[in-house]
Amino acid sequence: MTVRCPTAGRGIALAAACIAAAASAAAPALAEMPRVDARLAQVLSPRADATVRGGAVTVTVRLRGDVAAFSATLNGRSIGARFTPRDGGRLRVARLTAGTASGLRAGSNLLKVRTRSRGGAVDLDAVRFADVRRHAPLLRVSAPRRGRAATRVRLRLADPAAVVTARLNGRAIDPPAQRGRSRMLLLAADEGLRYGANSLRVTAVDRERGRHDVERRTIRIGREAPIPGAGRDRRAVAGRAVTLDAGRSRATGSPQRLRYRWRFVRKPRGSEATLRSATTRRPRFTPDRPGRYRLRLTVSERLPTA
């Protein structure tokens, strides 16, 4: 016997209903599935894939005006009773802390919010986030108290999978390109290095294990030499000219003028690319092979001629 089953919009549930009806004509019809309305609720915080610190998180959910039922779970544990209404009931807010019955744990957490409208529509929002807590041995920073014009900072990580971010004088800088336990930051004019005291803040985050560490260093730069600025790393297309710019380089004082010298320290195998105007602030070259081109800038000073 062949039983034809409609499949548009129903899938396995309707197929099962058709088989049951064929087996017994007296079987009751399958109840209609509730309508899904993704606009019933919105999780405002934490955001998806967010990282929270310190074993505490504030969960904020915005509800539409016709929501009749609200529930929430964290890692499978019910937390709906922990929410308090705000803004006339349109917001639900809960402060969850570790060490309580909230279910918040170090590492990955899964928050689920279920709502139902007065008209019977339902919505399910799921947000995964990580809670990381201070773990002092995760990161070690070796930085000179008194640096030169371009300063190297060495990092040592207990976990090679940790993600490193850094800020110099309050400004985010590019993370180290290396992977593994040993990494290095090169600080120069493009990163915001300046004469006098510089404040460096380095953070390492291990989302899977729920750990983070923060190290701060102060690096003082004297006016013995100019601070070079070769520009940020960039992407280029083979066959198209690239213009470099050392305009962020800093002189030790106002009367001095900077002199520039660029050179390649690495090119792809077989490349014959050459620098044009290599002793100017804005030299050019045309990459002729795919791969990495690494250049070095040396900056010196001379007094202006009368």
Side-chain angles (χ1 to χ4, degrees):
M1 176 185 292
T2 300
V3 177
R4 293 176 177 262
C5 300
T7 58
R10 301 296 184 187
I12 295 175
L14 271 180
C18 291
I19 294 172
S24 174
L30 186 68
E32 184 178 357
M33 295 192 61
R35 178 171 56 89
V36 176
D37 188 344
R39 298 172 297 177
L40 284 179
Q42 179 186 6
V43 179
L44 301 181
S45 66
R47 298 285 188 180
D49 296 322
T51 300
V52 301
R53 292 178 170 83
V57 61
T58 299
V59 179
T60 306
V61 182
R62 176 183 289 149
L63 303 178
R64 207 169 65 184
D66 59 340
V67 169
F70 168 88
S71 64
T73 60
L74 182 64
N75 302 321
R77 179 173 297 183
S78 177
I79 58 170
R82 294 177 173 270
F83 285 82
T84 57
R86 304 274 181 85
D87 191 23
R90 292 184 179 273
L91 291 180
R92 297 291 175 92
V93 180
R95 180 68 174 173
L96 308 179
T97 57
T100 65
S102 67
L104 183 65
R105 63 194 181 198
S108 181
N109 291 265
L110 180 60
L111 169 70
K112 292 184 178 181
V113 174
R114 294 176 174 85
T115 48
R116 180 172 54 81
S117 71
R118 287 189 290 270
V122 297
D123 187 15
L124 171 63
D125 295 85
V127 173
R128 189 174 292 278
F129 65 95
D131 173 32
V132 295
R133 300 167 193 179
R134 187 72 181 268
H135 186 78
L138 182 61
L139 171 67
R140 297 186 184 276
V141 177
S142 298
R145 293 184 179 180
R146 188 171 183 85
R148 296 185 176 182
T151 300
R152 287 180 171 85
V153 177
R154 301 187 183 279
L155 312 178
R156 182 70 179 173
L157 298 164
D159 186 347
V163 176
V164 174
T165 58
R167 303 183 74 87
L168 182 64
N169 299 321
R171 169 186 168 188
I173 62 177
D174 291 337
Q178 310 94 339
R179 293 292 181 265
R181 297 182 185 274
S182 297
R183 308 183 196 181
M184 186 180 68
L185 291 170
L186 178 61
L187 307 180
D190 294 298
E191 287 71 37
L193 191 69
R194 63 196 182 197
Y195 294 112
N198 293 264
S199 177
L200 175 67
R201 182 179 188 269
V202 184
T203 303
V205 175
D206 178 2
R207 288 173 54 93
E208 291 302 319
R209 299 183 182 181
R211 304 184 299 174
H212 82 103
D213 197 4
V214 179
E215 294 287 335
R216 295 174 175 84
R217 297 291 186 273
T218 298
I219 304 171
R220 297 185 179 276
I221 303 296
R223 292 187 176 271
E224 293 85 5
I227 302 177
R232 295 291 185 91
D233 294 344
R234 67 176 80 175
R235 293 185 179 273
V237 178
R240 295 186 182 179
V242 175
T243 300
L244 308 173
D245 193 346
R248 290 184 179 272
S249 301
R250 297 173 182 264
T252 59
S254 56
Q256 285 79 3
R257 291 184 180 177
L258 296 178
R259 292 187 293 187
Y260 309 95
R261 183 166 61 87
W262 299 80
R263 66 183 181 91
F264 285 109
V265 295
R266 179 180 174 184
K267 292 190 291 187
R269 183 184 299 273
S271 172
E272 298 181 357
T274 58
L275 278 167
R276 288 177 285 177
S277 304
T279 58
T280 67
R281 182 171 66 88
R282 291 170 56 86
R284 300 178 69 192
F285 79 97
T286 301
D288 56 353
R289 292 284 190 278
R292 287 181 178 272
Y293 294 79
R294 183 171 295 173
L295 298 100
R296 178 169 295 167
L297 169 66
T298 302
V299 180
S300 58
E301 291 182 327
R302 62 182 173 87
L303 290 173
T305 56

